[in-house]
């Protein structure tokens, strides 16, 4: 019941602890009504201030001035009802009223200026400085676009007062003034104290982070833009008082070509379409929505489903048409009120902006809408999970069919990976418009055979092995009918080699082109191995026979009709087909050996070695050096599998020399990536990084769409991290994750994001790391991932949130994780770990009842699956936190927790692996010393501190640092608590000397400083 002032005050206190939002605002309105009947208005004053805060932070700017008018009346009639803090708030909130009135177009500018004049009069009467008044006049000038420079000078040159906006907010306004003036670089310099953490408040840095996104993009500072988006958006999403900032994040997504991310933000902020209490902020939000939707519609995705106002379904085009009139109306209303075109001009300027990047900026986040890597000339389809963004560049696709096929054949003969796009277009032309065959291209069966080969390669990439092999056999039959024996033989041999493959594993010899499109190798589940070996041997004998009948060098050979078209240089072409036969035989032998490592029979190993030797020697004899490189890559891979990295490295370096001599530079990407992987294992990240950059660059340059870019970017991110290039690591891991998403390999994408989160956290970007992990753990994303991977991501997320002091959210993640791991029969210790961390985090969140329950759960889990270090740490933390939270029985409760820790320690068997009893004992004594000191039980505290010192003595060099801290605290107790400064000085002198001998310079300096302080107090 709210029938007494005390009851209302208690309800106000409880409501003040709730997060801003509709429930808090509604309760604040009810409490104002409840406070009105009391004789004294002091409770009403408090209730009105709480209501005004609720309106301010939920964007209800239309209502805020009315509440302030009631407060001002009470201030004039009953000033004694205001506490000192409340009296300060009366003057402070004049500024809120001015900005609120600017938000409402129906409020005449004369009324706004009248409020500012009243503010001036009251400030003057109370002898407050005029800088806040000048700030309000500047905000009006900035909004209307009139007298801006003069108003800015009058504000910026005045000294700050106690009623000035906080430094962080003022910095934001100064920086934004520079942005509007076109000085992006200067604005970012001004913003530095906010972004460095030197200035902060409830609105900062998230408001400034949103406003800095576009300047950062314009200056090419994309790493910072990514970080500001990741951290800033988390703090504004869903907040009705942050509509403008959400709109800026939407605009950023559009201009950085992350439209998919923008759609997700739109879905997360759907209620903002109905949040109309702050019309100017609402206009900024709607404009951001329009910028995003315009990109979608312009790129042909107008039919894409999007989230819009509740009550119906929307498409990008439909929502854009719905939003535009409302935004136009608001813009026109502000310009009419202001008598200028400033608001409309700014809106038109935003709508005219185009993407600032050629490719999507990798954000590191999982997105349900992925980037398109479709072939040039193809169109991305629209749908619930539409592919968005720029397509990968490719070769020019001739319109003329004769030129198209001729160019595709030329590139295929060279083994150039760019032929894939051309063959794809040829297949589309044949299938879609029934392009008539041109006799100048040779027999129609030849083109059918070539297209069958291409279909086979595509099917194998999709792990549709049986279908791919069938297409190769179809092609082989067509080549035979065309009297093209070499082509028929090499195609049939490839089919046999592919029959030994099943699910994907990287083939180190894969080089897209005429001979080896198969890019998957793994345990053979296909036809009988002996039968396939026999057929491959038969193919090798047939190749020898054909080579004898028609040597690869010497006099020109007679050409058939098909060969005359497909093989202008017959000898060279037959040599390539012959080497393809040898390659296929080696390919099968490699798989056979790989399956049986490390205990492969001698016969299997010898077959592989002979096949590799033969391919390399024949390739060198025929001067086809890229096939020699292929042979070396197989040898290198097997060597690496067997742990012979020296052989693997030398073979790969030789392979790269062969590639350079072959005149086919596009074949170097794979051996470079493999060599980089070996060099990373050998702790040579610098050279590995160079090789990976070159591998990726060549793959893109030569349009090698089959090159595994996602794992290569992941490897490059790993290498960059080893080099200490954290910014590069973030970029490359983000790109890798996006490409794994594009490939549909979501577990791999999630694993990369875990690595990315580690890099971010280790470089002090914990908020960025948390944003990345949250994207991994959305309901949609997590449902498709391995359960253990999800658990690891949730554990890392919970710990990251705890680092950010988001204790309640962290505890919720720990509890969800505890429910998951509780049923893991093969890993019970993990349940103990999670339960303990959940308990500690709940205590940090001041949820003591739930923390107690989790504490007991952790103790019970420990009894079943012991984890002594973590349980002891939990108990020590409870002792620490209990002292801070419980005034009456805190000491007794804390000491009970430490007694529990003693019991756990005593139960640990001696010489338990990985457990350091000296450390745990020392830390328990240290914590008990602190608890007793807080209770002014100094003699007991000193005894415990000395026991901590003695325990850490047993830790040797590892115990020196915690020992030094225990000595420092013992000296504090001895000096400050017991007044024994002489003894404390002696203790500190000895300890500092010991620290210097142990090379703990910083610890010694800390002890010396305390010693010098005590020396002066003796």
């Amino acid at each position: 019941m709210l029938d007494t002032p005390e009851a209302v005050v208690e309800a106000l206190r409880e409501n003040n602890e709730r997060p801003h939002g509709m429930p808090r605002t509604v309760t604040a309105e009810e409490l104002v009504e409840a406070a009105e009947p009391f004789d004294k208005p002091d409770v009403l004053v408090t209730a009105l201030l709480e209501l005004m805060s609720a309106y301010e932070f939920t964007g209800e700017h239309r209502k805020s001035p009315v509440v302030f008018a009631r407060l001002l009346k009470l201030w004039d009639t009953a000033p004694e009802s205001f506490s000192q803090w409340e009296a300060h708030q009366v003057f402070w909130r004049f500024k809120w009223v001015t900005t609120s009135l600017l938000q409402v177009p129906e409020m005449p500018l004369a009324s706004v200026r009248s409020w500012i004049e009243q503010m001036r009069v009251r400030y003057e009467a109370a002898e407050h400085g005029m800088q806040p008044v000048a700030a309000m006049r500047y905000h009006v000038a900035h909004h209307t676009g009139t007298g801006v420079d003069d108003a800015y000078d009058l504000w910026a040159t005045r000294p700050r007062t106690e009623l000035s906006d906080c430094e962080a907010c003022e910095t934001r306004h100064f920086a934004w003034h520079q942005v509007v003036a076109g000085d992006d670089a200067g604005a970012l310099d001004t913003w530095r104290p906010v972004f460095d953490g030197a200035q902060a408040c409830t609105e900062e840095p998230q408001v400034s982070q949103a406003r800095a996104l576009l300047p950062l993009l314009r200056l090419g500072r994309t790493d910072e833009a990514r970080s500001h988006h990741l951290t800033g958006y988390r703090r504004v999403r869903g907040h009705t008082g942050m509509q403008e900032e959400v709109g800026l994040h939407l605009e950023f997504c559009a201009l950085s070509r992350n439209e998919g991310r923008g759609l997700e933000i739109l879905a997360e902020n759907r209620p903002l379409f109905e949040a109309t209490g702050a019309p100017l902020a609402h206009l900024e939000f709607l404009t951001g929505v329009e910028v995003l939707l315009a990109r979608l519609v312009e790129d042909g995705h107008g039919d894409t489903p999007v989230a819009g106002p509740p009550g119906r379904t929307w498409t990008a085009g439909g929502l854009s048409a719905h939003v535009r009139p409302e935004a136009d109306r608001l813009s026109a209303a502000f310009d009419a009120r202001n008598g200028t075109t400033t608001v409309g001009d700014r809106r038109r300027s935003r709508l005219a902006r185009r993407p600032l990047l050629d490719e999507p900026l990798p954000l590191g986040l999982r997105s349900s809408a992925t980037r398109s890597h479709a072939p040039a000339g193809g169109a991305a389809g629209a749908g619930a999970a539409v592919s968005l963004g720029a397509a990968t560049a490719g070769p020019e696709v001739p319109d003329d069919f004769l030129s198209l096929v001729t160019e595709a054949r030329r590139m295929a003969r060279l083994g150039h990976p760019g032929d894939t796009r051309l063959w794809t277009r040829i297949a589309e032309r044949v299938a879609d418009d029934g392009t008539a065959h041109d006799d100048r291209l040779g027999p129609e069966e030849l083109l059918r055979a070539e297209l069958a080969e291409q279909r086979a390669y595509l099917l194998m990439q999709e792990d549709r092995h049986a279908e791919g092999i069938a297409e190769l056999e179809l092609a082989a039959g067509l080549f035979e009918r065309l009297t093209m024996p070499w082509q028929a033989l090499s195609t049939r041999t490839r089919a046999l080699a592919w029959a030994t493959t099943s699910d994907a594993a990287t083939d180190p010899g894969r080089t897209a082109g005429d001979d080896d499109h198969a890019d998957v190798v793994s345990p053979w589940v296909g036809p009988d191995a002996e039968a396939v070996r026999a057929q491959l041997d038969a193919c090798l004998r047939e190749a020898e026979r054909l080579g004898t009948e028609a040597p690869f060098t010497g006099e020109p050979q007679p050409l058939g009709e098909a060969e005359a078209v497909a093989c202008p240089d017959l000898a060279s072409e037959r040599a390539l087909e012959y080497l393809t036969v040898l390659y296929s035989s080696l390919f099968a032998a490699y798989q056979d050996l790989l399956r049986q490592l490390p205990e492969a029979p001698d016969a299997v190993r010898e077959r592989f070695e002979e096949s590799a030797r033969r391919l390399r020697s024949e390739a060198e004899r025929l001067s086809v050096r890229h096939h020699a490189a292929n042979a070396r890559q197989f040898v290198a891979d097997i060597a690496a599998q067997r742990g012979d990295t020296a052989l693997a490295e030398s073979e790969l370096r030789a392979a790269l020399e062969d590639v350079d001599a072959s005149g086919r530079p596009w074949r170097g990407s794979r051996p470079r990536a493999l060599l980089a992987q070996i060099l990373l294992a050998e702790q040579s990240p610098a050279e590995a990084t160079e090789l990976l950059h070159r591998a990726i660059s060549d793959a893109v340059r030569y349009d090698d769409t089959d090159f595994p870019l996602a794992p290569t970017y992941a490897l490059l991110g790993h290498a960059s991290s080893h080099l200490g290039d954290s910014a590069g690591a973030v970029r490359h891991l983000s790109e890798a994750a996006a490409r794994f998403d594009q490939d549909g390999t979501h577990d791999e994408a999630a694993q990369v994001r875990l690595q990315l989160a580690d890099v971010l956290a280790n470089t002090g970007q914990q908020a960025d790391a948390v944003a990345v992990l949250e994207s991994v753990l959305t309901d949609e994303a997590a449902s498709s991932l391995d359960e253990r991977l999800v658990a690891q991501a949730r554990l890392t997320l919970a710990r990251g949130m705890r680092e950010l002091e988001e204790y309640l959210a962290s505890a919720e993640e720990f509890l969800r994780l505890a429910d998951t791991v509780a049923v893991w029969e093969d890993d019970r210790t993990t349940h103990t770990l999670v339960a303990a961390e959940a308990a500690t985090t709940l205590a940090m969140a001041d949820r003591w009842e739930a923390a107690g329950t989790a504490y007991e759960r952790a103790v019970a889990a420990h009894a079943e699956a012991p984890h002594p270090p973590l349980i002891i740490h939990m108990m020590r933390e409870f002792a620490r936190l209990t002292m801070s939270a419980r005034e009456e029985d805190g000491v007794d409760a804390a000491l009970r927790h430490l007694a529990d820790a003693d019991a756990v320690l005593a139960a640990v068997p001696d010489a338990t692996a990985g457990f350091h009893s000296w450390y745990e004992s020392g830390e328990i004594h240290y914590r008990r010393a602190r608890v007793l000191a807080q209770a002014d039980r100094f003699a007991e505290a000193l005894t415990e501190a000395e026991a901590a010192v003695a325990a850490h003595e047993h830790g040797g060099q590892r115990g020196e640092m915690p020992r030094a801290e225990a000595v420092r605290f013992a000296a504090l107790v001895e000096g400050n608590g017991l007044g024994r400064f002489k003894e404390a000085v002696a203790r500190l002198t000895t300890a500092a000397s010991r620290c210097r001998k142990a090379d703990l310079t910083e610890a010694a300096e800390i002890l010396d400083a305390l010693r010098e302080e005590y020396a002066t107090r003796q």
Side-chain angles (χ1 to χ4, degrees):
M1 295 290 291
L2 300 175
D3 52 1
T4 66
E6 293 76 14
V8 175
V9 169
E10 180 59 28
L12 283 167
R13 184 178 295 110
E14 292 177 0
N15 198 43
N16 188 58
E17 294 178 355
R18 296 188 177 100
H20 284 291
M22 187 58 68
R24 176 170 172 172
T25 301
V26 170
T27 301
E29 291 173 336
E30 293 171 350
L31 292 175
V32 167
E33 293 180 9
E36 286 177 336
F38 303 134
D39 293 336
K40 286 187 172 183
D42 51 345
V43 178
L44 180 59
V45 167
T46 305
L48 287 169
L49 285 167
E50 165 63 20
L51 179 58
M52 191 174 180
S53 294
Y55 285 152
E56 179 73 15
F57 289 103
T58 54
E60 291 289 346
H61 290 278
R62 291 181 184 275
K63 301 177 180 179
S64 184
V66 177
V67 178
F68 186 71
R70 294 182 65 183
L71 274 169
L72 207 56
K73 185 175 181 181
L74 287 170
W75 174 252
D76 290 336
T77 58
E80 70 281 358
S81 299
F82 290 73
S83 69
Q84 184 178 356
W85 178 84
E86 289 168 339
H88 177 81
Q89 287 298 303
V90 170
F91 290 97
W92 182 270
R93 296 192 185 191
F94 262 106
K95 300 180 294 181
W96 289 14
V97 173
T98 300
T99 54
S100 292
L101 293 175
L102 279 179
Q103 284 275 344
V104 183
E106 295 85 0
M107 182 61 61
L109 279 182
S111 298
V112 179
R113 293 189 171 108
S114 174
W115 270 102
I116 297 176
E117 178 60 19
Q118 187 176 167
M119 175 184 175
R120 183 195 66 78
V121 170
R122 288 181 180 267
Y123 271 44
E124 199 170 63
E127 298 183 345
H128 290 305
M130 291 294 107
Q131 195 258 15
V133 177
M136 293 305 102
R137 288 173 173 157
Y138 167 75
H139 292 323
V140 173
H142 172 80
H143 173 67
T144 61
T146 56
V148 178
D149 291 338
D150 290 342
Y152 179 81
D153 289 341
L154 288 172
W155 166 43
T157 56
R158 289 178 182 269
R160 285 176 50 78
T161 76
E162 64 173 350
L163 289 170
S164 297
D165 281 343
C166 78
E167 285 188 284
C169 289
E170 279 207 342
T171 295
R172 176 180 76 242
H173 294 309
F174 290 147
W176 193 242
H177 178 80
Q178 291 173 281
V179 170
V180 173
D183 184 8
D184 287 340
L188 292 169
D189 284 341
T190 300
W191 256 315
R192 188 173 292 116
V194 175
F195 296 148
D196 289 348
Q199 298 175 0
C201 67
T202 56
E203 293 184 354
E204 292 297 344
Q206 61 268 29
V207 174
S208 289
Q209 285 174 322
R211 295 187 176 219
L213 290 170
L214 184 57
L216 287 167
L217 278 184
R218 282 194 292 238
L219 293 175
R221 293 162 62 172
T222 53
D223 290 342
E224 294 167 82
R226 176 196 299 108
S227 179
H228 285 339
H229 173 66
L230 293 181
T231 60
Y233 174 68
R234 286 189 72 243
R235 300 185 66 176
V236 304
R237 65 183 173 198
H239 291 293
T240 54
M242 294 283 181
Q243 289 194 73
E244 179 176 358
E245 288 68 37
V246 173
L248 290 170
H249 281 280
L250 289 169
E251 180 181 65
F252 164 78
C253 290
L255 301 184
S256 67
R257 296 191 181 274
N258 279 284
E259 295 91 340
R261 167 69 169 162
L263 293 182
E264 292 174 349
I265 291 176
L266 206 56
E268 290 177 335
N269 294 276
R270 200 171 187 182
L272 298 190
F273 284 102
E274 298 179 320
T276 58
L280 183 59
H282 192 57
L283 170 63
E284 302 294 345
F285 166 69
L286 293 179
T287 303
V289 172
E290 279 193 87
V291 173
L292 173 67
L293 297 177
R295 297 274 56 73
L296 294 171
V297 173
E298 188 172 295
D299 290 342
H301 301 296
D303 294 331
T304 299
V306 299
R312 57 166 283 189
T313 58
W314 299 92
T315 64
L319 182 59
S320 179
H322 173 81
V323 166
R324 188 179 306 112
E326 173 64 9
D328 285 343
R329 183 189 66 76
L330 284 172
S331 174
F334 280 110
D335 282 345
R337 189 269 302 270
N338 299 337
T340 67
T341 62
T342 299
V343 173
D345 290 343
R346 289 172 182 164
R347 169 173 153 75
R348 284 183 286 273
S349 175
R350 290 180 70 186
L351 293 177
R353 289 169 184 159
R354 292 294 180 268
L356 297 170
L357 304 176
D358 294 331
E359 294 289 337
L361 172 64
L363 300 176
L365 303 174
R366 184 192 183 277
S367 175
S368 59
T370 56
R371 292 179 294 173
S372 172
H373 296 292
V386 62
S387 293
L388 304 171
T392 301
E396 182 178 349
V397 180
D399 291 329
D400 175 66
F401 191 68
L402 175 64
S403 301
L404 177 61
V405 176
T406 301
E407 179 62 11
R409 286 173 174 168
R410 184 191 70 81
M411 295 181 77
R413 283 193 296 273
L414 291 172
H416 194 297
D419 73 327
T420 301
R421 291 185 185 276
L422 303 185
W423 287 115
T424 299
R425 183 56 183 149
I426 292 167
E428 291 172 351
R429 291 280 300 271
V430 171
D432 295 344
D433 59 18
T435 300
H437 184 71
D438 191 323
D439 290 340
R440 289 174 293 178
L441 295 173
E444 187 172 356
E445 288 82 357
L446 174 60
L447 184 57
R448 288 175 52 204
E450 291 164 329
L451 291 174
E453 286 185 289
Q454 295 301 316
R455 287 194 300 272
Y457 301 145
L458 297 176
L459 289 165
M460 291 299 290
Q461 289 167 7
E462 297 172 4
D463 292 337
R464 296 162 64 182
H465 298 263
E467 297 170 79
I469 291 168
E471 289 291 340
L472 277 185
E473 290 173 344
L474 171 62
L478 289 168
F479 284 132
E480 285 178 346
R481 287 167 52 185
L482 290 164
T483 318
M484 300 177 70
W486 275 113
Q487 286 80 359
L489 178 62
S490 69
T491 304
R492 184 157 285 115
T493 311
R494 271 176 281 162
L496 287 168
W498 287 8
T500 65
T501 67
S502 57
D503 298 326
T506 302
D507 165 11
R510 163 69 179 91
T511 47
D514 58 308
D515 48 10
D516 48 341
H517 278 61
D519 200 20
V520 286
V521 183
S522 65
W524 183 4
V525 294
D528 178 77
E530 290 298 331
V532 169
R533 289 191 195 100
Q535 292 178 66
L536 284 168
D537 288 342
C539 288
L540 289 172
R541 291 192 295 272
E542 177 64 11
E544 291 171 358
R545 185 189 67 80
L546 288 173
T548 301
E549 291 182 356
F552 305 127
T553 58
E555 294 297 322
Q557 303 296 316
L559 302 179
E561 179 186 2
E563 285 185 316
V565 174
C567 315
D569 183 351
L570 183 60
S572 175
E573 186 66 26
R574 287 177 175 175
L576 286 173
E577 301 295 351
Y578 165 62
L579 292 173
T580 297
V581 173
L582 299 184
Y583 174 91
S584 298
S585 177
L586 172 56
F587 182 81
Y590 161 80
Q591 293 179 84
D592 200 5
L593 177 57
L594 190 64
R595 282 192 297 274
Q596 300 182 64
L597 287 177
E599 302 298 333
D602 289 344
V604 173
R605 179 180 52 79
E606 290 168 2
R607 182 182 179 91
F608 168 78
E609 291 173 352
E610 172 57 25
S611 298
R613 184 203 60 76
R614 184 175 182 182
L615 175 59
R616 187 174 70 243
S617 63
E618 287 295 276
E620 291 171 349
R621 179 177 70 86
L622 296 169
S623 298
V624 184
R625 296 287 293 276
H626 70 274
H627 263 304
N630 288 341
R632 291 186 183 279
Q633 288 175 72
F634 278 116
V635 173
D637 187 71
I638 292 297
Q641 296 282 345
R642 301 177 67 175
D644 189 350
T645 55
L647 175 60
E649 181 181 344
S650 65
E651 286 292 316
L652 287 169
R653 291 191 187 280
L656 286 171
E657 292 177 5
D658 285 330
V659 168
D660 289 342
S662 73
R664 302 187 179 199
W666 47 85
R667 292 183 178 272
S669 291
R670 284 167 180 76
R672 283 191 177 89
L674 290 168
L675 178 57
Q677 192 168 359
I678 291 170
L679 291 173
L680 264 180
E682 296 177 344
Q683 305 302 312
S684 299
E687 185 181 359
T689 299
E690 292 179 10
L691 288 165
L692 291 167
H693 275 298
R694 173 72 183 277
I696 291 171
S697 174
D698 283 353
V700 173
R701 175 190 298 179
Y702 299 115
D703 194 33
D704 189 351
T705 56
D706 294 339
F707 181 75
L709 282 171
T712 307
Y713 271 112
L715 199 61
L716 182 55
H718 186 60
S720 299
S721 181
H722 275 274
L723 281 175
D725 179 12
S726 57
V730 169
R731 282 195 300 274
H732 303 317
L733 291 172
S734 298
E735 181 68 29
R739 289 183 178 275
F740 275 127
D741 280 339
Q742 181 69 33
D743 296 339
T745 50
H746 299 305
D747 277 356
E748 288 83 349
Q751 288 170 345
V752 168
R753 289 191 171 97
L754 283 173
Q755 295 176 45
L756 172 59
D758 284 341
V759 171
L760 290 167
N762 291 336
T763 53
Q765 297 172 270
Q766 189 64 258
D768 299 52
V770 165
V772 169
L773 292 167
E774 283 180 331
S775 78
V776 173
L777 291 170
T778 61
D779 291 340
E780 178 189 358
S783 64
S784 63
L785 299 177
D786 176 78
E787 182 183 56
R788 303 293 172 119
L789 185 58
V790 170
Q792 182 59 55
R794 198 173 301 284
L795 177 62
T796 309
L797 172 62
R799 288 171 171 170
M801 287 177 161
R802 188 171 60 200
E803 286 290 316
L804 295 176
E805 300 183 0
E806 298 176 11
Y807 297 127
L808 188 56
S810 172
E812 290 171 353
E813 293 296 336
F814 275 123
L815 292 173
R816 290 180 66 182
L817 180 57
D819 291 339
T820 297
V821 304
V823 298
W824 288 2
E825 296 297 335
D826 62 332
D827 190 4
R828 304 299 297 157
T829 305
T830 297
H831 181 226
T832 306
L833 179 151
V834 174
E837 295 209 42
T840 303
T841 310
L842 282 164
M844 290 176 170
D846 204 27
R847 298 295 195 270
W848 283 98
E849 184 176 351
T853 301
Y855 184 100
E856 295 302 324
R857 181 180 186 178
V859 171
H862 171 72
E864 179 185 352
H867 197 318
L870 196 65
I871 291 296
I872 292 172
H873 179 268
M874 175 191 77
M875 292 169 171
R876 292 201 312 268
E877 282 294 281
F878 263 71
R880 178 181 69 84
L881 295 165
T882 297
M883 287 299 294
S884 302
R886 298 167 64 172
E887 296 178 1
E888 296 180 1
D889 63 341
V891 176
D892 291 339
L895 293 175
R896 284 196 299 272
H897 288 307
L898 293 171
D900 289 345
D902 282 330
V904 172
L905 176 60
V908 179
D910 293 338
T912 297
F915 183 78
H916 305 291
S917 59
W918 62 267
Y919 174 79
E920 302 298 344
S921 174
E923 290 303 291
I924 293 171
H925 284 300
Y926 175 80
R927 179 52 56 194
R928 188 178 284 114
R930 294 193 70 105
V931 168
L932 292 167
Q934 282 182 261
D936 295 337
R937 293 161 59 175
F938 298 116
E940 296 171 82
L942 181 58
T943 299
E944 287 296 321
E946 290 176 334
V949 173
H952 287 309
E953 286 277 0
H954 298 291
Q957 181 63 33
R958 288 182 295 178
E960 288 297 327
M961 183 61 80
R963 181 190 183 280
E965 168 56 22
V967 170
R968 186 192 70 85
F969 189 73
L972 285 171
V973 172
E974 202 164 28
N976 294 345
L978 298 173
R980 290 156 37 182
F981 295 108
K982 180 178 179 180
E983 291 85 348
V985 167
R987 184 190 301 274
L988 290 165
T989 301
T990 302
S993 175
R994 179 168 175 158
C995 284
R996 278 188 285 273
K997 290 179 181 178
D999 200 26
L1000 299 176
T1001 305
E1002 185 177 355
E1005 291 173 352
I1006 292 171
L1007 295 174
D1008 282 338
L1010 183 58
R1011 178 181 58 79
E1012 291 171 8
E1013 177 190 341
Y1014 280 0
T1016 62
R1017 296 170 63 182
Q1018 290 186 57

